[in-house]
């Protein structure tokens, strides 16, 4: 079993940028080489700006190379909660942004011929309790009435047409959602940015970020210093001490994934006959899908813990147990990959993008960043270039997490709370 991401292991990276010199001066420095950073770099080059992507490891090393590869519709908080909190009009606008974000991936893939197995396979949201299915039926009606968006409800009696498991109590299907090979996608974006003239610097950790007295900012990296007119922070769950204001506002939560050996076609057809992107309604969520080469990818916030090799292995064991509880016929199936990564939860589980002390940022994707990070990278590129309307999240307040100043000491408490809620809800 490999303790590495299946997506990274089966993608072909572009040129090796670990020694590409850090430029002296650029219009925009982007910190972070994930989907936010690389999509921003592509758009910034199209807008004519000189740009350097500064990545402390390699392209896609963070969440962008480690996720489930599901570009799904809907908000992390759910449409019903969004309507209650922000009113119907704003909730509809937020909801539609996620659909636009999936379209933006499709367009990037087509425009730049990025070979990444993008497919509109649809999203299956599974009810963990009968009451969760009742809530899904209500949300379906609200989505139709308020947003004109159609999802299909599947009662438990019909669930066998969508899933080879008796574990759940019904589901909804949203046909707009897509799956893709995120490793190929993030490297494809980086290759595109490179071809358009962006400077990509890997192994270039930004260690300090200061305003330059003459204007702009100076970023000190482990491989040299760059003077940038503008800065975009795209560090998601890996946001660190260089931007303490942002770090206080994000909870880095581990999410973990296992991937099986390639499965026989009849087994794949039994698990997910329509190869949809699936997730359930628990607080300690499970999500799963079939990879392009017929493996089952099964993930979850198995434990509220940070990701490390030891943590990934222990989480992987929990996920194997969960997978065989859902699909008993997979008992004994070989697990080829186990890994983990950090999700950047914000307090309200909304995206937060804007400018603070002259530094731009886009973070807080809260587990829904495949589409939204890609979209927001492009939008923030336009925002930085002077389009004030481009940041659709600019009016959302961004409070700090109480008591959070460095390491997230409170994760076990949140995890315990989520487990209790799942048990009693
Ligand atoms: C296990 C897992 C499963 C997920 N599944 C899904 C899914 O199926 N669907 C979905 O929509 N979302 C999913 N997500 C969330 C999604 O992957 C992220 O929201 C998205 O990839 C964030 O992209 P990003 O570019 O903003 O950040 P990242 O990809 O995390 O990139 C941030 C980068 O910043 C770099 N960095 C940090 N500090 C510095 C510094 N000082 N100097 C230089 N570089 C720095 C890091 O090395 C990292 O590469 C999942 C996340 C995880 C962890």
């Amino acid at each position: 079993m490999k303790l590495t991401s299946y997506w990274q292991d089966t993608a072909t990276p572009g040129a090796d940028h670990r020694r590409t010199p850090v430029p002296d001066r650029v219009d925009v420095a982007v910190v972070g080489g994930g989907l936010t950073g690389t999509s921003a770099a592509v758009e910034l080059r199209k807008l004519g700006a000189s740009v350097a992507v500064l990545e402390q490891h390699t392209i896609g090393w963070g969440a962008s190379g480690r996720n489930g590869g599901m570009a799904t519709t809907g908000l992390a908080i759910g449409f019903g909660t969004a309507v209650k909190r922000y009113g119907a009009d704003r909730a509809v606008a937020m909801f539609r942004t996620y659909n636009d974000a999936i379209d933006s991936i499709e367009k990037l893939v087509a425009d730049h011929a990025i070979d990444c197995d993008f497919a509109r396979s649809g999203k299956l949201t599974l009810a963990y309790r009968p009451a969760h299915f009742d809530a899904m039926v209500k949300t379906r009606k609200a989505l139709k009435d308020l947003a004109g968006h159609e999802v299909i409800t599947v009662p438990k009696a019909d669930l066998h047409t969508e899933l080879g498991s008796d574990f759940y109590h019904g589901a909804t299907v949203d046909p707009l959602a897509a799956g893709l090979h995120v490793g190929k996608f993030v490297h494809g974006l980086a290759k595109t940015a490179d071809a358009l003239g962006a400077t990509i610097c890997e192994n270039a950790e930004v260690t300090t970020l200061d305003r330059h007295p003459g204007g702009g900012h100076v970023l000190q990296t482990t491989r040299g210093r760059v003077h940038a007119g503008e800065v975009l922070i795209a560090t998601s769950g890996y946001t660190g001490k260089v931007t303490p204001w942002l770090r206080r506002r994000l909870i880095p939560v581990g999410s973990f994934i296992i991937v099986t050996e390639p499965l026989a076609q009849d087994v794949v057809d039994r698990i997910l006959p329509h190869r949809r992107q699936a997730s359930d309604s628990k607080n300690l969520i499970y999500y799963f899908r079939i990879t392009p080469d017929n493996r089952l990818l099964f993930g979850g916030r198995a434990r509220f813990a940070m990701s490390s090799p030891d943590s990934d292995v222990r989480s992987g064991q929990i996920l194997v147990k969960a997978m065989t509880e859902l699909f008993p016929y997979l008992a004994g199936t070989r697990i080829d990959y186990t890994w983990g990564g950090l999700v950047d939860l914000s307090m309200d589980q909304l995206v937060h993008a804007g400018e603070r002390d002259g530094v731009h940022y886009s973070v807080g994707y809260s587990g829904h960043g495949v589409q939204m990070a890609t979209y927001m990278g492009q939008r923030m590129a336009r925002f930085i270039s002077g389009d004030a309307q481009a940041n659709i999240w600019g009016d959302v307040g961004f409070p700090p997490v109480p008591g959070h100043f460095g390491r997230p000491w409170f994760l076990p408490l949140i995890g315990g709370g989520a487990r209790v809620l799942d048990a009693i809800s």
Side-chain angles (χ1 to χ4, degrees):
M1 185 179 70
K2 295 184 181 179
L3 290 180
T4 185
S5 159
Y6 159 83
W7 305 117
Q8 287 282 31
D9 198 44
T10 54
T12 310
D16 183 346
H17 292 292
R18 287 174 297 174
R19 287 185 184 79
T20 303
V22 173
D24 292 337
R25 190 175 277 269
V26 285
D27 294 328
V28 186
V30 177
V31 185
L35 292 170
T36 306
T38 53
S39 62
V42 168
E43 189 68 13
L44 283 163
R45 282 305 299 141
K46 288 183 189 168
L47 293 165
S50 60
V51 52
V53 177
L54 307 168
E55 165 55 49
Q56 64 183 351
H57 297 292
T58 47
I59 291 298
W61 177 90
S64 298
R66 298 165 184 257
N67 58 63
M70 306 182 186
T72 54
T73 45
L75 292 148
I77 50 172
F79 184 65
T81 306
V83 171
K84 275 187 215 141
R85 273 197 214 160
Y86 307 105
D89 289 351
R90 187 73 177 103
V92 168
M94 288 175 177
F95 180 85
R96 287 193 178 138
T97 300
Y98 278 82
N99 293 353
D100 294 346
I102 301 173
D103 294 346
S104 78
I105 295 185
E106 191 167 34
K107 185 164 180 345
L108 277 168
V109 166
D111 287 354
H112 302 289
I114 300 175
D115 171 17
C116 64
D117 304 295
F118 178 91
R120 294 262 185 186
S121 45
K123 164 85 192 292
L124 187 64
T125 307
L126 295 152
Y128 177 58
R129 301 271 190 215
H132 297 184
F133 181 66
D134 297 343
M136 286 174 183
V137 173
K138 281 193 196 140
T139 302
R140 172 185 178 265
K141 183 171 174 353
L143 273 175
K144 189 166 185 224
D145 294 349
L146 298 174
H149 184 88
E150 295 273 3
V151 297
I152 302 151
T153 45
V154 186
K156 187 169 175 70
D158 298 334
L159 198 52
H160 62 275
T161 60
E162 290 285 346
L163 183 74
S165 171
D166 293 330
F167 192 80
Y168 293 105
H169 296 272
T172 55
V173 172
D174 189 329
L176 282 188
L180 65 155
H181 188 306
V182 281
K184 292 182 183 177
F185 182 53
V186 71
H187 287 297
L189 285 175
K191 288 176 201 172
T192 304
D194 193 12
L196 289 170
T199 306
I200 296 175
C201 303
E202 296 172 309
N203 269 2
E205 180 189 356
V206 175
T207 51
T208 59
L209 166 59
D210 296 299
R211 271 191 189 268
H212 190 279
H217 303 266
V218 175
L219 298 97
Q220 182 65 51
T221 81
T222 42
R223 293 207 290 107
R225 211 154 66 132
V226 53
H227 180 188
E230 307 286 349
V231 176
L232 175 63
I233 303 294
T235 49
S236 182
Y238 299 87
T239 301
K241 60 182 181 342
V242 172
T243 49
W245 185 84
L246 269 187
R247 183 163 66 164
R248 286 203 59 204
R249 282 160 174 77
L250 296 170
I251 309 172
V253 177
S255 192
F256 304 91
I257 291 179
I258 53 173
V259 168
T260 67
E261 63 186 304
L263 302 171
Q265 189 63 49
D266 62 318
V267 179
V268 169
D269 293 343
R270 186 172 175 194
I271 298 172
L272 283 166
H274 308 292
R275 299 180 85 106
R276 299 205 198 278
Q277 316 300 306
S279 71
D280 71 15
S281 59
K282 292 201 310 308
N283 290 290
L284 287 176
I285 185 177
Y286 295 147
Y287 49 90
F288 47 93
R289 57 166 290 183
I290 303 296
T291 63
D293 60 351
N294 274 1
R295 302 163 185 268
L296 177 65
L297 175 153
F298 192 94
R301 301 195 185 139
R303 305 151 54 242
F304 260 69
M306 301 285 275
S307 168
S308 68
D310 181 49
S311 184
D312 295 356
V313 169
R314 280 192 286 148
S315 302
Q317 287 161 351
I318 294 171
L319 290 175
V320 170
K321 209 168 150 221
M323 177 187 80
T324 39
E325 194 181 358
L326 261 64
F327 308 109
Y329 46 91
L330 291 182
T333 301
R334 197 180 70 228
I335 304 300
D336 282 349
Y337 296 89
T338 299
W339 74 91
L342 295 178
V343 168
D344 56 344
L345 281 189
S346 56
M347 285 283 281
D348 53 13
Q349 293 189 53
L350 290 185
V351 181
H352 292 275
E355 188 229 299
R356 158 95 182 166
D357 288 341
V359 173
H360 302 277
Y361 59 87
S362 182
V363 292
Y365 304 114
S366 300
H368 286 57
V370 167
Q371 69 295 68
M372 194 44 76
T374 307
Y375 185 66
M376 284 309 294
Q378 295 173 283
R379 301 295 290 211
M380 289 308 286
R382 281 180 236 163
F383 185 73
I384 290 168
S385 304
D387 177 358
Q389 307 304 314
N391 177 15
I392 57 270
W393 302 100
D395 61 340
V396 183
F398 196 5
V401 180
H404 179 28
F405 297 99
R407 279 190 73 77
W409 54 270
F410 42 81
L411 280 187
L413 300 179
I414 303 180
R419 214 164 280 118
V420 170
L421 278 177
D422 283 338
I424 63 174
S425 68

